[in-house]
Structures are given as C-alpha cells and as structure tokens.
C-alpha cells in the first residue's frame, strides 16, 4: 500500500468517526495537525506510514500490563482443556503462535517460547509411546500392529506391556496428548509475551521486597552460568582439560564463592541505595496487620480443608472467603509500612482490557459450547470418525487473535 | 559536608587499625581525591562516609563521621541514602534491576519520591549522562563505560549532596574515562555536588581535584592539601608530576597543559643531550648476540638508527601498503612476514612460521551474528612486546582468547609455536602459550600458595619447586600458607603470572594486567615483564593503560570494531593519537620521548 492510499483511507476516519477512545485506540500516535494531511517534512520524517487499524509501537507508557497477557493465555488454556477436537486444538495453537510471532520482543525471556513448543512436542510423543507400549483402555477393532506381549505375573493384573495396538487407542492418545501440548504452548506464549520482572513489580506493596528478591535471583542465574563458563575456560589455561563433568565439578566451589561475594556486594549496594527503608506506623496498625494476616491465612487453610472434606461443605466456602479477605486486608495494611513509590507502573488500559477480554471470551464461549454440544468438542474414537470443525467454537477461538491487532508492536531489536 | 573527627577503623581479627587519625572536612561542592598505595584503607574511608563501614562490614569505628549533619553511628546506610550516593569498584554488582530506566529510578522508589518527580529526574539524568538512547536496553548488554555511567546515574537521581566513588575509571578505556570524568566535573560545577573519590590512575583524575587527601601508608595519618602540595610528597604520582619533579619545577604541574608551558627549556636540553634525535627505542632484542643488554654507546647508536629508520619507515610502509593492496590475497602472508623480519633484528636469519611464538593471519571470529574480529593479522617475534589497545569491546580479549584456543576462528588461521591452539590438548598448549586473564583469581583454585604452586608444577610437568621459585622471585616474602584470596591485587597477579610461567611458554599473554594496581606494583610488573622479554618471551598485552604501553611495548596494535586500524612501533602509533599518547609524550611533543625513565636517562 502506498503512502497516498493510506492517507485517503485514514482521512475520512479521522473526520467521520467520533474521536472517542476507540478511534484513538486504532490509530498510531496521530499528531494534532494530522487530520489536514501531513506537511511534507512531517511525512518525510516519519518514514513509511503504517496502514490504519495498526497498533502503535510499544514504549514504556503504552506497554501492555503483563497480567493481561497471562489472563489471555490462561483463557486459551482453559478453552483447550474443554475440548479434545484436534482441529480446535490446532486452531488454538495456531492462534497462540500467531500472536507470539506478531508481538514477541527480542528479550531473553521471549526465546523461551521455542523451548515450550519443544516440550509440548515431547509430551505428545511420550503420550503416544506410552499408548503403543503400555496399551490403551480404549476397545478398538482397527488393528495396526501386534507387539509381542511380555507375560506378567497375576498380581500385575491390569498392567500390560506390548500386545495389540489399535488405531482407536492411538487416536485417543493423540487427542489427549494434543490437549496437554496446547496447554503448555499457551503457558509458553504468556512467558514469551509478558516481562517477568514487570509482572513481579505489579505485586502489592507489602510483597514488593519479595518481588525485588526474585528479580535479583532471576538476574543472578545468567551470571552464575557465565561465571561457570569463564572458570571452565580458565582450567584450559592451567593445562587441564576444560570439557567433561570433572571440569564442571572442579569449578563448582569457585563459582559459588564468586556468587556469594557478588551477593554481598549487591546487598551493600542495595542497602546504600535505601532498600528496606520503612515508614513509622503506629503500633496499633502493626498489630492489626499481624493479626489480619495470620488470621486470614488460618481462615484460608480451614476453609480449604472444609471444602475438600465431605461434611464441611457448609462452612467451607464462607470461611475461605473471610480468610482471603482478612489476608488481603493484612497485605494492604502492611503496604503502609513501606514508604516506597513506583516508577511508571504498567497501567491496565483499554488495550489490556481487550487482550485479557479476548482470552476470557474464548474460555467462556468454549465452556458454553461444551455444555451445549459436547459431541462436537469431543469427537468419538469408537467408532473411528474423522473430526469435524464445529463452526461456532472455531469462530470463538479466532477471537483469541485480537491481541495480534491491538497490542502495541514491539520495537525492532537494537 | 563530610566531617571526619579523629576516626580510626579496626576490622575484626586485624592486629591494628586499618586507618587511624583520619581527621578532615570536605566542604560543600568540592571534588576531593583520596590517593595512596593499595592497601592503605582508601575503600574503608569511602565506606565510612556511606555508613557501610561499620554497619555492613563489621569492625569498630572510633571517632565520628558526620555527613550533612547526620552521624553515621546513629544512621544506617539506608537512612543516609538520600544524602550519599555510593558507586563501588564493580558497577555490575551495583545493579538491582535489569533495564537502564528502571535502574535510574530504583533509588528514588526506595526513598518514596512522587511519581512525577521520578519521571522528571529520570529524563534529566538520561540527558545529563547521554543515556537517552539506551533507556530501554538491558544493562547486561552495555559496554563498561556505559555501565559505569548508568551506575553513577542511578545514585544521582535521588539528588544526593555527596557522591562517593571507588575507582570510577579503572576499568575504562581512555575515552570512556574522560566521558565519566566530564560528567563528574559537570556535577561539581553545575549542581554543587560534593564528590569524594579514590582512584589509582592519577594521570586521569588529578587535574580535576580541588583537594587531595593522601594516605601515605597503612595506619598513617592522612595528609591534606592542594593537589600540587600533596603531589610533591606523595609516594604515588602521575608521570606528569614525576617529570615535574625530575625537571625541578615548582609548583608542580598537574596537567599536560601546565607542563607544556614550562617544558620549553627541558625540550631544548633534551634536544642538545647526547642522542638528541630521540630516546633509545625499545628494541626487540636480537637473541644471538645478546643485544638486549648492550652498553650505553651501543644504545646511543641504536637510538639514532631507530630515529633514522622511523623517518624513512613511513615511506616504506606506504609502499608496502600499496603493494599489499595490489597483491592477491594469497601473497599477503609472505609480505606480512617480510615486513616483520625487516622490522625485527635485521641480521636474523629467515625463520619458518613454525618457530614463531604466534602467527595470526586474516583471523575472523564470530559470536552469534556479531563479527568480533575481522581479517586480523598479528605476528609476534621472540623477545617482542606488543600492546593491544582500543576501546572496550573492540575485540582485544577475543584476540587473546583465539591465541589460547578459547575461541575457535570462523576463518583465517592462528598458529602458536606451530600448533593450532583450539585443536591442541590443553596439556601441550600450556608449553606454547600462557594467558593471565583479566581476573587473575580465575586461575587460582587452591587454598594456599604452596598448594597452588604444587598444582602448577604438576599441570606443567615441571620439576617440583619450579613454580615456588618463580613466586619467590616475583613476590619475595609470601608465606606458603597464605590464602590466594588474602593477597592484594598486585600480589595475586604475580602469583597467577608465576603459575602461567611455570610451563615456560614462549608466548605470554596478559589481559588488562594493571587494573587495580598502584604505581609501585605497576613498576614491579614492568621490571618483571622487561626481564621476561629479554629472556626471549614474546609478550602480548591487552591494555587501556597508555603509560604501561609506552614503558613496555615495542609495538602497538590498535583494534577498533574487530579490525586492526594501526600497527607499528610504539612511538609512532601512540604519539599520533591524542587519547593513546602518554603524558610525557604529550608534554614533550614533537620530541619522541614517551616516559620519565627515558627522559631521566637522556639527561644523565
């Protein structure tokens, strides 16, 4: 699309549509003067214009709340757990994969997506291998192959090694494995798209210091690996073999020593920069905080116990709710002790609502579809039939693509 | 702003106080430099200002330290965080978050500043330290100079009235160091920040200081005064001050500019001195006739010859350059070798490349998609000392890594004593090449010096006691049962050097050997390395220290972005560059003297 058509299509939108938050949402950082067409130098300075309806480039201000990504991914995961239809599952994987491809950054955590995909494939393969060698409870008539069966003693009844492998059993295992694999891929997508450090920063004030500790630990792990590599190569300089397990074991102690020294240096630096400064709060508030937190946690325990035992069904839920409320109250009061403020926290804006909402919508629609027409979502394996793509659930899954259009576009790697 | 009242600090288990009788005051808006040999307690004095000594380190502090009216006895470091900003020696262990912008905001978050104030100060600080382009970058991807600037920025944002810095420029290349110092000067001049810092590389910082506090020896009372006064009595001083002392100038010049204005008569005296064409150049000793230690007359002659050679070498080099460009790729090694032979001892018979300690030809190294080195050529002759220079990240350490086989070449070839390093078993390789890494501690595993030496003998297959004899030579008076971690920076370097030398490698590589060394330790290192070169070891050192390169190197190779941009005799390469020229070279330019030792010799 050339720049000129873009202008033509963009101009009526800017004039005709009410300038509400939605029109703002779909347009890319428009300048006040843009409605009248770009001045020559402004157009030259901005380079090729993106077509209308494209999200803005990501920066610190419009960054999507990491929680929104998690809600979206968990929504897709919930949807995946409601169906075994391979076509729907493939559609879910495709949706998650497309969004990751469109909105992934070049950050180190974003590379974890590939690892999750490999893990999912491994899970699928293991599920199939088990179905082949350990048999499957699914009765089937289409024989694929008969493996030699290992004779087992009587006490191992119900366990089988080898024997008949039927197409029905394999297909059932495939559907089942695909469900697990899809769940893993959804979690992987959330991991790749949401910045873990920023997610931890969204913790309530009282838990902030724990969050910082986790962030520090997260940055320490790569340092530890780098140290181990450096010391291993230093072994080579001493004329000792630098490969093999022995080489790794020998550098273990120096690596830990180095990590310890660095932690002490970091602790000193953090102390000198005001980590752990607390505001003075009245002793009454302090005591209330302790009582609320402890009581709340006890309530949560008792409530969960009540829910899980048969006879506690009546008091379980209310006690759990009260316990949760008290614990949250305790956390909120505890937050008053820390004087710290937050620098540019991620805002839960319209885009975050849309991303999270699309995930929730997929989950809700799929759950509704499961109660309405279970057969379409769980295609039978006995007798063996080709799965059909149910139209409405498939359309619902496609809602999960919304983030690929509304989430801000990450910058190119520097 | 900072007041020390008769302070002494004794650490637990120490025989006596580390510092004693520290009593001085730093007024607001001054830049005060803490100088002294290593191990005199500079870091202790700095730590006392931020309250980390004794709250964090333990030990007993007698006397009183007050900062902006707050007594550090009653205020913990975190309660001083709004008035004191501290940056330690290693910026990497200072960072709490993962991106530049978050790091700048971290201190303010802890102090509970309002969000709009934080935002404004982060933007101001990004501009002040020219970090705006890096705001979203992960800190681990930044260069050393950038990290140091981020570390300074991260303590500046809470607007502390006092800034405490421990060796802010030691790990930086000359240009990055100037960048950091310019920022500090701006803070002092524009914002009235009080700065107290310790630094070994006095040649970089002494001209910025308003006053100096000298700690002459461990446990001795500090000496205070203006830089010129203190430098006159200081056991540590930069080359320009040493030159001033030699020439008898008073008051002592602290900057190259001051010295140049006084140096007119010195230049005249040097021009009339015997050997007036230039100092005796450091020459690759020709092994066969032992020319490494010839008499004064001979040196005089070589000096003249060197000067003459230098004059016509430029022309010859240009011609060689043209030939090289015209020649097809395959011919290049021959001409490179020929050039080297001509540069080296002229009477040396032609040797095969296998006898050379190191031959690197059109080497390329890749790290992922980044080309760390491109078409690098380097040849080291026995007895030659080569200094590799260039900014942080230019590929110096990678080149050294390729020479010891830690890095496999993507193209081109590396031969060390005729062997391909990354395919040679480590046990054989140690007899051909030895590397002392940037952090000498990486080489040391054992918990006593004696055990370390025994292990080194075994690794190298040398006779028992070889390493210990080397240690005693390099480091007299070190007990067998000392733990390597308790050694000072310089002692640890010497121990690592002894370990590497146990296998008698003809090629010795050193990565940033003078980081954290004081002038005395550096002088000892120079003597040791000169001795090794005279014995026929080829030495390649990667360094930012221009003074060290001027004292030691026969040849300087400058790398930039993984390519060799200059390769030639030290005097030529170094004088041509404003950031790589040593102070004496700048003062005496256009005369070719580079070090105080050369000038002293010429005058005597």
């Amino acid at each position: 699309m050339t720049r000129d058509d873009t202008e033509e299509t963009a101009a009526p939108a800017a004039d005709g549509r009410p300038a509400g938050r939605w029109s703002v949402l779909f347009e890319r950082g428009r300048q006040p003067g843009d409605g009248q067409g770009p001045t020559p130098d402004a157009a030259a300075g901005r380079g090729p214009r993106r077509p209308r309806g494209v999200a803005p480039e990501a920066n610190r201000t419009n960054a999507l709340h990491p929680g929104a990504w998690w809600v979206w991914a968990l929504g897709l995961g919930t949807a995946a757990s409601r169906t075994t239809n391979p076509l729907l599952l493939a559609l879910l994987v495709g949706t998650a994969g497309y969004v990751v491809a469109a909105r992934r950054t070049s950050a180190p955590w974003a590379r974890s997506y590939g690892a999750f995909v490999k893990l999912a494939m491994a899970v699928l393969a293991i599920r199939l291998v088990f179905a082949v060698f350990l048999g499957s409870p699914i009765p089937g008539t289409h024989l694929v192959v008969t493996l030699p069966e290992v004779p087992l003693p009587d006490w191992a009844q119900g366990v089988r090694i080898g024997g008949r492998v039927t197409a029905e059993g394999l297909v059932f295992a495939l559907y089942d494995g695909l469900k697990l694999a899809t769940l893993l891929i959804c979690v992987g997508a959330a991991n790749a798209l949401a910045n873990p450090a920023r997610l931890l920063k969204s913790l309530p004030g009282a838990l902030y210091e724990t969050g910082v500790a986790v962030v520090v630990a997260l940055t320490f792990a790569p340092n530890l690996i780098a140290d181990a590599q450096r010391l291993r190569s230093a072994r080579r300089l001493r004329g000792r073999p630098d490969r093999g397990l022995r080489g790794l074991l020998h550098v273990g102690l120096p690596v830990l020593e180095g990590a310890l020294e660095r932690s002490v240096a970091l602790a000193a630096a953090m102390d000198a920069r005001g980590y752990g400064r607390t505001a003075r709060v009245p002793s009454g508030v302090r005591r209330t905080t302790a009582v609320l937190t402890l009581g709340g946690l006890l309530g949560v325990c008792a409530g969960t116990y009540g829910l899980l035992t048969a006879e506690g069904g009546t008091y379980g839920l209310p006690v759990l709710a009260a316990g949760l409320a008290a614990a949250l109250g305790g956390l909120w009061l505890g937050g008053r002790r820390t004087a710290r403020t937050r620098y540019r926290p991620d805002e839960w804006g319209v885009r975050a609502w849309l991303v999270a909402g699309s995930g929730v919508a997929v989950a809700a629609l799929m759950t509704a579809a499961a109660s309405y027409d279970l057969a379409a979502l769980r295609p039978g394996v006995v007798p063996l039939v080709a799965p059909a793509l149910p139209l409405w659930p498939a359309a619902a899954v496609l809602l999960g693509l919304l983030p690929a259009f509304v989430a801000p576009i990450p910058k190119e790697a520097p | 702003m900072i007041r020390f009242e008769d302070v002494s600090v004794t650490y637990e288990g120490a025989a006596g106080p580390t510092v004693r009788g520290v009593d001085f005051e730093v007024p607001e808006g001054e830049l005060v430099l803490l100088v002294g040999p290593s191990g005199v307690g500079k870091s202790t004095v700095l730590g006392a200002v931020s309250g980390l000594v004794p709250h964090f380190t333990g030990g007993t502090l007698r006397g009183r330290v007050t900062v902006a009216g707050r007594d550090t006895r009653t205020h913990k470091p975190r309660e001083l965080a709004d008035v004191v900003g501290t940056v330690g020696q290693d910026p990497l262990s200072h960072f709490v978050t993962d991106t530049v912008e978050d790091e700048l905001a971290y201190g303010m978050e802890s102090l509970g500043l309002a969000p709009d104030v934080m935002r404004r100060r982060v933007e101001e600080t990004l501009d002040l330290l020219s970090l705006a382009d890096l705001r979203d970058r992960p800190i681990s991807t930044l260069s050393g100079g950038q990290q140091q600037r981020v570390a300074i920025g991260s303590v500046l944002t809470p607007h502390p009235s006092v800034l405490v810095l421990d060796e802010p420029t030691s790990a930086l290349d000359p240009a990055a160091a100037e960048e950091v110092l310019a920022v500090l000067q701006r803070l002092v001049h524009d914002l009235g920040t009080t700065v107290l810092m310790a630094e070994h590389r006095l040649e970089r910082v002494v001209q910025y200081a308003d006053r100096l506090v000298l700690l002459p020896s461990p446990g001795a009372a500090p000496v205070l005064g203006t830089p010129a006064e203190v430098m006159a009595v200081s056991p540590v001083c930069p080359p320009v001050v040493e030159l001033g002392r030699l020439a008898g100038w008073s008051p002592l010049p602290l900057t190259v500019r001051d010295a140049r204005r006084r140096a007119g008569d010195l230049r005249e005296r040097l021009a009339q001195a015997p050997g007036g064409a230039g100092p005796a150049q450091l020459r690759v000793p020709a092994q066969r006739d032992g020319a490494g230690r010839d008499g004064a007359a001979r040196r005089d002659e070589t000096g003249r010859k060197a000067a003459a050679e230098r004059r016509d070498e430029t022309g010859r080099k240009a011609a060689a350059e043209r030939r090289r460009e015209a020649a097809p790729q395959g011919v290049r090694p021959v001409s490179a070798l020929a050039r080297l032979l001509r540069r080296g001892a002229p009477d040396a018979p032609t040797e095969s490349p296998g006898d050379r300690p190191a031959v690197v030809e059109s080497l390329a190294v890749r790290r992922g998609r980044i080309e760390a080195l491109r078409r690098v050529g380097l040849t080291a002759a026995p007895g030659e000392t080569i200094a590799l220079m260039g900014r942080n990240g230019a590929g110096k350490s990678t080149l050294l890594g390729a020479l010891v086989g830690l890095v496999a070449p993507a193209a081109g070839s590396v031969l060390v004593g005729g062997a391909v390093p990354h395919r040679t078993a480590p046990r054989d390789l140690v007899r051909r090449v030895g590397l002392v890494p940037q952090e000498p501690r990486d080489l040391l595993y054992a918990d006593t010096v004696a055990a370390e030496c025994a292990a080194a003998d075994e690794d190298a297959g040398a006779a028992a006691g070889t390493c210990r004899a080397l240690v005693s030579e390099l480091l007299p008076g070190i007990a067998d049962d000392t733990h390597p971690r308790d050694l000072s920076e310089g002692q640890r370097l010497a121990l690592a050097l002894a370990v590497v030398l146990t296998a008698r490698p003809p090629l010795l590589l050193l990565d940033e050997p003078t980081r954290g060394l004081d002038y005395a330790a550096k002088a000892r290192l120079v003597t040791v390395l000169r001795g090794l070169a005279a014995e026929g070891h080829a030495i390649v050192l990667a360094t930012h220290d221009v003074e060290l390169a001027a004292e030691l190197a026969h040849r300087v190779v400058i790398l930039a972005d993984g390519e060799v941009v200059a390769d030639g005799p030290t005097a030529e390469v170094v004088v041509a560059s404003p950031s790589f020229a040593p102070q004496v070279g700048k003062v005496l330019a256009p005369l070719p003297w580079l070090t105080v030792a050369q000038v002293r010799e010429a005058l005597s």
Side-chain angles (χ1 to χ4, degrees), chain A residues 81-151:
Chain A
S81 69
R82 296 285 155 211
T83 177
T84 56
N85 187 326
L87 298 177
L88 282 178
L89 288 175
L91 203 58
L92 278 168
V93 170
T95 304
Y98 181 78
V99 173
V100 168
R103 290 297 181 269
R104 177 159 67 158
T105 57
S106 54
W109 62 83
R111 286 179 218 134
S112 66
Y113 183 66
F116 272 93
V117 170
K118 279 182 203 144
L119 182 66
M121 293 298 128
V123 164
L124 189 60
I126 290 170
R127 183 73 183 83
L128 281 175
V129 168
F130 269 75
V132 168
F133 289 103
L134 297 181
S136 149
I138 304 295
T141 49
H142 297 78
L143 191 65
V144 179
V145 66
T146 307
L147 294 174
E149 190 168 341
V150 181

Side-chain angles (χ1 to χ4, degrees), chain A residues 236 243, chain B residues 363-367 372-373 398-414 420-423:
Chain A
R236 191 181 170 83
R243 284 170 233 285
Chain B
L363 171 71
V365 172
R366 279 167 170 248
R367 292 230 157 101
L373 290 177
T398 310
L399 181 53
L400 294 187
L403 282 169
V404 287
L406 294 176
V407 182
S413 72
V414 181
V420 181
H422 72 281
R423 297 229 177 89

Side-chain angles (χ1 to χ4, degrees), chain A residues 59-61 108-109 195 197-198 201 208 212 215-216 219 223 230-243 250-251 254 257-258 261-278 280 339-344 411 414, chain B residues 52 56 77-82 84 86 93-96 98-99 101-103 105-113 115 118-119 122-123 135-137 154-155 404-406 421-422 424 426-427 429-430 435 437 441-445 452 455-456 459 485 499:
Chain A
N59 57 40
R60 179 82 187 221
T61 307
W109 62 83
N195 181 339
R198 297 268 273 279
K201 278 193 124 187
Y208 188 93
V212 169
V215 170
V216 167
T219 51
N223 282 338
R230 207 183 66 235
L231 286 167
R232 258 179 111 173
S233 57
R235 276 178 64 82
R236 191 181 170 83
L237 303 177
R238 288 288 296 260
R240 304 176 189 180
D242 57 340
R243 284 170 233 285
H250 267 247
V251 300
E257 260 175 27
E261 268 169 38
R262 213 178 6 222
S263 331
V264 171
L266 179 64
M270 283 170 75
D271 202 4
R273 289 171 71 187
Y275 178 79
R277 273 167 83 106
T278 47
R280 301 214 172 277
R340 57 170 39 257
T341 45
R342 290 198 190 170
Y343 174 74
R344 297 181 84 178
K411 265 181 225 158
Chain B
L52 289 173
F56 200 85
R78 67 187 69 150
E79 286 146 16
L80 291 166
D82 51 335
V84 184
T86 313
S93 59
H94 172 92
F95 297 133
V96 184
D98 51 355
T99 63
E101 203 175 338
D102 284 330
E103 190 61 40
Y106 178 80
M108 293 188 290
E109 287 184 326
S110 304
L111 299 180
L113 295 182
M118 288 200 276
R119 182 68 199 273
V122 166
E123 298 297 332
R135 62 188 304 159
D136 293 323
R137 286 270 293 276
S154 72
V155 298
V404 287
L406 294 176
H422 72 281
T424 310
R427 193 160 265 283
L429 199 65
V430 285
L435 168 68
R441 199 191 309 180
D442 289 356
L443 272 190
L444 310 173
Y445 302 104
E452 203 63 71
D459 289 337
R485 206 181 313 122
V499 164

Side-chain angles (χ1 to χ4, degrees), chain A residues 374-404:
Chain A
L374 191 63
L377 296 192
R378 297 183 189 258
V381 289
V382 186
L384 211 50
V385 285
L389 184 70
L391 206 58
W392 286 109
V397 169
L398 288 182
L399 274 183
L401 284 176
L402 191 64

Side-chain angles (χ1 to χ4, degrees), chain A residues 2-277:
Chain A
T2 65
R3 197 180 59 72
D4 287 348
D5 333 324
T6 325
E7 273 316 306
E8 271 168 27
T9 47
D15 301 335
R17 217 192 274 180
R21 61 206 301 208
W22 299 94
S23 67
V24 172
L25 189 67
F26 285 102
E27 276 153 36
R28 176 177 164 275
R30 290 187 143 274
Q31 304 297 318
D34 269 8
Q36 286 79 39
T39 53
D41 53 355
R46 210 175 290 134
R49 281 190 67 111
R50 287 165 199 271
R52 207 191 91 229
V54 167
E57 189 170 77
N59 57 40
R60 179 82 187 221
T61 307
N62 66 14
L64 203 64
H65 198 286
W69 282 122
W70 274 100
V71 171
W72 167 80
L74 292 178
L76 291 192
T78 313
S81 69
R82 296 285 155 211
T83 177
T84 56
N85 187 326
L87 298 177
L88 282 178
L89 288 175
L91 203 58
L92 278 168
V93 170
T95 304
Y98 181 78
V99 173
V100 168
R103 290 297 181 269
R104 177 159 67 158
T105 57
S106 54
W109 62 83
R111 286 179 218 134
S112 66
Y113 183 66
F116 272 93
V117 170
K118 279 182 203 144
L119 182 66
M121 293 298 128
V123 164
L124 189 60
I126 290 170
R127 183 73 183 83
L128 281 175
V129 168
F130 269 75
V132 168
F133 289 103
L134 297 181
S136 149
I138 304 295
T141 49
H142 297 78
L143 191 65
V144 179
V145 66
T146 307
L147 294 174
E149 190 168 341
V150 181
L152 289 176
D154 280 347
W155 51 263
Q157 242 176 7
V159 180
R160 201 183 71 185
I161 298 177
R164 283 157 46 89
V165 179
T166 61
E168 285 88 343
L170 280 183
V171 169
F172 179 79
L174 179 76
Y175 288 179
D176 206 38
L178 208 55
K179 189 163 91 177
L180 269 180
T182 310
L183 271 172
L184 276 172
I185 286 176
C186 289
V187 173
N191 247 313
L193 292 166
N195 181 339
R198 297 268 273 279
L199 186 66
L200 286 166
K201 278 193 124 187
S202 324
L203 288 174
L207 294 180
Y208 188 93
E209 295 186 353
T210 323
V212 169
V214 176
V215 170
V216 167
L218 283 178
T219 51
F220 249 63
N223 282 338
L224 214 59
I225 294 170
D227 268 6
Q229 279 168 350
R230 207 183 66 235
L231 286 167
R232 258 179 111 173
S233 57
R235 276 178 64 82
R236 191 181 170 83
L237 303 177
R238 288 288 296 260
R240 304 176 189 180
D242 57 340
R243 284 170 233 285
L245 194 63
R246 269 191 64 192
L248 196 63
L249 287 179
H250 267 247
V251 300
L253 200 61
V255 166
L256 287 181
E257 260 175 27
L260 199 65
E261 268 169 38
R262 213 178 6 222
S263 331
V264 171
L266 179 64
M270 283 170 75
D271 202 4
R273 289 171 71 187
Y275 178 79
R277 273 167 83 106

Side-chain angles (χ1 to χ4, degrees), chain B residues 230-253:
Chain B
V230 173
M231 275 298 127
V233 296
S234 168
V236 290
C237 61
V240 68
V241 170
E242 217 178 315
L243 187 73
R245 283 187 189 168
L246 179 70
W249 292 327
S250 176
L252 282 170

